[in-house]
Amino acid sequence: MTLKELRELLETLDIPVKYRAFKVGEAPNLPYIIFYKEDNQGTLKADNQNYAKVNNITIELYSDEKDIELEEQLESILDTNKIGYDTYESYLDTESMYEVAYEITI
């Protein structure tokens, strides 16, 4: 799966989606999604060649309150497309918003 294909899947949630970050002053109203590649990329090697690229991606879902329904919709998209994930949640006091992050590998 490519980043473009992942973005298209995330956009089916019908909320704003942006790679890495919105420009200062251009962040939309909550909820929205930010996704980005982690720095620790790698490759699977076999028979003296690169067999497959490994992209570690973080998907961050931001909302003004815990949105279980939206989280379930996002998880359903990942499950349906056989994308495994680990998740963690935090509350950003300084921004008064919730963050649920999904760590995936594509």
Side-chain angles (χ1 to χ4, degrees), residues 22-89:
F22 290 96
K23 291 181 181 178
V24 175
E26 293 184 8
N29 292 331
L30 297 169
Y32 59 80
I33 288 177
I34 301 290
F35 73 106
Y36 53 91
K37 284 175 43 172
E38 295 290 338
D39 292 335
N40 55 346
Q41 307 306 301
T43 57
L44 299 175
K45 298 172 181 77
D47 301 323
N48 296 322
Q49 62 183 352
N50 289 343
Y51 178 70
K53 291 181 182 178
V54 177
N55 290 309
N56 298 311
I57 310 292
T58 298
I59 301 168
E60 297 174 349
L61 171 62
Y62 293 96
S63 57
D64 58 353
E65 60 184 36
K66 182 153 179 69
D67 193 332
I68 295 170
E69 183 178 325
L70 186 55
E71 290 172 31
E72 289 173 347
Q73 290 173 6
L74 175 53
E75 290 171 10
S76 177
I77 288 170
L78 297 174
D79 292 340
T80 298
N81 289 279
K82 297 183 176 137
I83 301 171
Y85 57 88
D86 292 313
T87 185
Y88 64 88
E89 177 179 317

